[in-house]
Amino acid sequence: MKEILEQIKDEVREGFKKAGMDEKYAMVTLSNRPDLCEYQCNGAMAAAKEYHKAPIVMAQAVAEQLCNCEMFESVEAVAPGFLNFKLSGTFLADYAKGMQADREFFGMEQAKNPETIVLDFGGPNVAKPLHVGHLRSAVIGEAIKRIAKFAGHKVISDVHLGDWGLQMGLIITELKLRKPELVYFDPDYTGEYPKEAPFTISELEEIYPTASGKSKEDEDYKAAAMEATHELQMGRRGYRALLDHILNVSVTDLKKNYENLNVSFDLWKGESDADPYIPDMVKKMKEDGYAYESEGALVVDVAEESDTKEIPPCMILKSDGAALYNTTDLATMVWREADYHPTRMSYVVDKRQEMHFVQCFRCAKKTGIVSDDTRLEFIGFGTMNGKDGKPFKTREGGVMRLSSLIADVNEKMYEKIMENDTMTEEEARKTAGIVALSAIKYGDLSNQPSKDYIFDIDRFTSFEGNTGPYILYTIVRMKSIIKKYEASGKSLEDLALLAPGSEPEKSLMLSLVKFNSAVRNAFEESMPNRLCAYIYELANAFNHFYHETKIMTEEDENKQKHYMALLVLTKDVLEKAIDLLGFSAPDRM
Ligand code: ARG
């Protein structure tokens, strides 16, 4: 369905034209004085300048043309030259009926020119447990993925594992020290390698921090790890076999963790998958004259004249020929381009990595890895801080594992739910998990991605205020009314929306009908917080309606059916909206 604001603009344009003015003055916005009107247009004041008349005269002329439209309940020209609009109840009800009939999209139009978007998010590093730093990428990326798909675009999500850097060499080095007899370390071995990994996930998770700690103290150890990394990258068979084991063990575990977060990926590729594309890419960069040697390393200049700060050259290979973070990201673009021909590649990554992406993006465009019209988008997110305003840490000051954070929030939710004492322990645990996820995700997504935010467990788990649990609580309230309605022997089949008969009904409808524009906005700006703002407004509007309206005791049957229709539509739209954010509501809480 055409967005409601667009429909209003169309109408107002006609009004301006009929009043003898250019339609470009028909700029309509949501009212910033909701006490006076619902939508407004300030264009008559600008028009007055061109046509040399008093603004109020211009506004009156337009109002006269529009006052008989079915769309408006009232059109007022107000000094000095504002146009104030109130929508007619039937127009609103018709719009809401259109949403109701569109069970899948609730009036959200599918993209006319669908994009193909490769969405890079998650970005965990294998063999390292997920920590809170990985939370935002997963949560924001998943929401952006769902929103883009819902808007009709094709999205290919890729987790882009960190599996080609020093951490691999560290693990290999430590493993060699512990089990030198393993065939992986025998350079003369030519047979097949065992299918079974020589470690479990818990061993792996212990090996990496141990190795990383040692390398900071011991120069020789670090040198050995760097050498092992290099040999791995140069294709040493035994090390490649170990990498495969590390990947298998790690990915199984990561998948479980992401599943718990309701996050999924189409592709589980890693930096190492870019390796085969590096030699040709480098060769071409050299042949085309873009890559040159500087102090032994191979670099591509990416500075531009208009730069206001220095953008250093993009380093493609180290002097020993080793690949860098840039190298794998660029070579990853090579296969993404070849396999998917995307119109856009988007990266949901910590904003502190912005320079890396500026360099890579420029290098990719300059060297022709991606075409000029491929959009490269960096969706940089801010840091998740603790209440002290510093990056979130454990009580002891260490890096917090994501699983611990989730467990903490689950526990807190469980306690709250048990306070009400209406559930069995089992149901309470299950419900706590669902509500906790909403607390974590909504707490994150309701902020603009690029901003830092404070992870405040007390606030996020509260049933009041702009929180996930408040939204779920509102949905659960609706579900319980629906159940009661059905239990009284009435059917949901013949509900029918009417024009709103009261202020709370109307403001609920006015909120409802903005769904498509909220989703479009969230998509266009890659900002799920736009959708959160819609959700919060809608939940508030519903609760206002609920407190002002006797739904169950309404004696006028048609009125009651209308209330229930409004309630069911609001519930469906809210559930769709939170689904786009990557969480869901329980039946009770
Ligand atoms: N693994 C990286 C990290 O933990 C994030 C990867 C982001 N994606 C990318 N294509 N570079 O910092």
Side-chain angles (χ1 to χ4, degrees):
M1 289 159 74
K2 193 171 213 173
E3 288 175 22
I4 197 135
L5 181 60
E6 293 308 314
Q7 295 196 16
I8 299 172
K9 278 185 192 160
D10 286 349
E11 197 75 48
V12 176
R13 265 186 218 118
E14 283 308 306
F16 271 79
K17 274 199 278 186
K18 283 192 204 146
M21 284 175 255
D22 195 312
E23 59 170 37
K24 74 175 182 218
Y25 293 113
M27 321 168 255
V28 182
T29 57
L30 266 173
S31 161
N32 51 24
R33 286 289 303 274
D35 51 327
L36 297 180
C37 62
E38 294 150 4
Y39 288 87
Q40 67 184 54
C41 170
N42 302 349
M45 293 193 280
K49 291 204 184 90
E50 182 182 331
Y51 299 103
H52 307 292
K53 281 195 189 145
I56 188 71
V57 175
M58 309 301 295
Q60 274 161 349
V62 178
E64 217 161 279
Q65 297 300 330
L66 292 173
C67 61
N68 289 325
C69 296
E70 276 179 23
M71 182 181 283
F72 301 115
E73 175 188 295
S74 70
V75 181
E76 277 179 337
V78 182
F82 298 116
L83 278 161
N84 288 354
F85 305 106
K86 284 189 182 163
L87 297 183
S88 86
T90 37
F91 173 66
L92 259 184
D94 282 345
Y95 200 92
K97 279 183 201 157
M99 292 174 69
Q100 194 184 33
D102 181 5
R103 299 304 306 153
E104 205 179 339
F105 297 107
F106 301 100
M108 172 76 195
E109 273 180 17
Q110 297 299 285
K112 288 188 188 66
N113 302 306
E115 284 200 54
T116 301
I117 304 169
V118 173
L119 185 62
D120 180 315
F121 71 104
N125 299 310
V126 296
K128 294 193 210 172
L130 288 174
H131 59 79
V132 293
H134 292 111
L135 180 65
R136 296 211 72 189
S137 182
V139 169
I140 298 168
E142 179 70 21
I144 289 180
K145 175 183 88 180
R146 289 171 181 234
I147 291 168
K149 283 188 179 173
F150 186 72
H153 302 283
K154 186 174 171 203
V155 185
I156 301 109
S157 53
D158 182 10
V159 73
H160 199 73
L161 299 163
D163 62 356
W164 206 231
L166 184 62
Q167 83 264 31
M168 294 297 135
L170 284 166
I171 294 166
I172 293 171
T173 304
E174 183 59 25
L175 204 62
K176 191 172 176 182
L177 214 64
R178 293 185 189 186
K179 301 180 181 171
E181 71 286 358
L182 291 175
V183 293
Y184 306 94
F185 302 117
D186 177 358
D188 301 323
Y189 184 76
T190 54
E192 266 196 37
Y193 290 104
K195 294 243 168 337
E196 190 86 4
F199 40 71
T200 63
I201 182 68
S202 34
E203 281 171 315
L204 200 55
E205 286 188 350
E206 175 268 317
I207 291 176
Y208 172 72
T210 307
S212 163
K214 282 189 187 173
S215 76
K216 284 183 190 121
E217 319 248 279
D218 182 343
E219 280 296 316
D220 292 345
Y221 191 96
K222 178 153 189 206
M226 282 167 72
E227 175 56 23
T229 310
H230 187 59
E231 284 184 67
L232 169 71
Q233 292 190 355
M234 293 301 133
R236 182 165 159 172
R237 264 185 87 238
Y239 289 5
R240 288 292 319 207
L242 275 178
L243 172 73
D244 288 342
H245 285 313
I246 297 172
L247 276 172
N248 277 335
V249 170
S250 219
V251 164
T252 311
D253 186 60
L254 284 170
K255 279 192 177 158
K256 247 194 332 231
N257 279 293
Y258 281 122
E259 231 166 74
N260 289 337
L261 278 174
N262 211 1
V263 167
S264 67
F265 302 90
D266 300 313
L267 304 177
W268 278 81
K269 299 276 195 186
E271 293 167 350
S272 64
D273 289 293
D275 178 56
Y277 299 89
I278 295 175
D280 279 353
M281 175 182 85
V282 171
K283 188 163 158 254
K284 188 163 178 306
M285 283 180 179
K286 281 188 191 158
E287 281 170 4
D288 294 347
Y290 295 120
Y292 65 94
E293 254 179 57
S294 165
E295 293 166 38
L298 192 70
V299 303
V300 172
D301 286 330
V302 292
E304 287 168 8
E305 252 172 49
S306 55
D307 291 342
T308 50
K309 65 174 181 190
E310 195 198 335
I311 310 288
C314 186
M315 206 196 274
I316 307 296
L317 292 177
K318 285 206 283 198
S319 49
D320 63 358
L324 295 135
Y325 191 37
N326 293 335
T327 327
T328 48
D329 260 324
L330 286 164
T332 298
M333 289 186 194
V334 172
W335 68 253
R336 285 178 180 168
E337 180 70 35
D339 290 2
Y340 298 102
H341 310 292
T343 51
R344 180 186 330 194
M345 300 187 191
S346 300
Y347 297 79
V348 187
V349 183
D350 192 316
K351 71 176 177 201
R352 287 170 291 192
Q353 293 193 24
E354 181 160 16
M355 180 58 94
H356 162 76
F357 285 98
V358 169
Q359 291 177 306
C360 285
F361 289 176
R362 286 187 180 185
C363 182
K365 289 255 154 145
K366 182 172 180 180
T367 61
I369 291 175
V370 298
S371 66
D372 277 340
D373 45 14
T374 309
R375 180 166 158 202
L376 299 174
E377 180 186 30
F378 176 64
I379 305 169
F381 54 80
T383 310
M384 175 175 141
N385 289 325
K387 273 190 189 170
D388 57 0
K390 300 202 184 96
F392 200 84
K393 291 264 155 58
T394 58
R395 229 169 273 158
E396 292 74 36
V399 177
M400 185 143 194
R401 281 201 182 197
L402 190 50
S403 51
S404 320
L405 177 100
I406 295 172
D408 285 356
V409 183
N410 275 344
E411 195 52 38
K412 180 113 193 167
M413 267 348 299
Y414 173 72
E415 282 163 18
K416 284 200 170 193
I417 289 169
M418 282 310 261
E419 272 169 27
N420 293 339
D421 200 28
T422 55
M423 285 188 196
T424 62
E425 189 180 329
E426 196 193 337
E427 191 187 355
R429 285 268 171 226
K430 203 171 147 236
T431 308
I434 299 174
V435 186
L437 194 63
S438 82
I440 295 172
K441 289 196 166 186
Y442 192 89
D444 187 314
L445 294 169
S446 53
N447 302 286
Q448 194 176 313
S450 61
K451 299 250 161 76
D452 296 349
Y453 78 96
I454 290 180
F455 188 88
D456 179 343
I457 188 166
D458 296 318
R459 189 167 81 73
F460 287 8
T461 56
S462 168
F463 288 155
E464 279 149 40
N466 191 8
T467 70
Y470 167 70
I471 305 301
L472 297 199
Y473 192 77
T474 305
I475 296 173
V476 165
R477 170 175 275 164
M478 297 186 226
K479 287 188 179 181
S480 104
I481 299 170
I482 292 172
K483 235 194 251 155
K484 264 197 224 144
Y485 184 79
E486 284 185 304
S488 72
K490 294 174 181 164
S491 156
L492 295 175
E493 295 299 317
D494 56 355
L495 301 180
L497 278 168
L498 304 173
S502 66
E503 179 276 322
E505 286 166 61
K506 190 170 191 194
S507 72
L508 176 54
M509 284 176 147
L510 283 166
S511 293
L512 257 178
V513 297
K514 288 187 278 188
F515 176 68
N516 48 12
S517 100
V519 179
R520 181 186 48 76
N521 247 297
F523 169 71
E524 283 179 357
E525 312 207 12
S526 299
M527 282 189 188
N529 55 307
R530 301 267 189 225
L531 188 54
C532 291
Y534 170 81
I535 289 173
Y536 186 50
E537 180 192 315
L538 184 57
N540 282 335
F542 173 77
N543 283 318
H544 175 52
F545 161 73
Y546 172 77
H547 288 297
E548 300 294 322
T549 315
K550 302 250 170 306
I551 302 175
M552 291 310 286
T553 53
E554 176 57 56
E555 280 168 12
D556 180 333
E557 205 181 314
N558 287 334
K559 250 190 181 173
Q560 191 180 43
K561 283 183 180 169
H562 156 68
Y563 292 156
M564 286 304 294
L566 201 49
L567 181 145
V568 172
L569 179 59
T570 307
K571 178 191 79 77
D572 289 346
V573 170
L574 272 182
E575 285 203 292
K576 174 50 81 185
I578 62 170
D579 179 57
L580 294 178
L581 297 180
F583 58 91
S584 60
D587 289 330
R588 310 197 300 147
M589 67 191 260

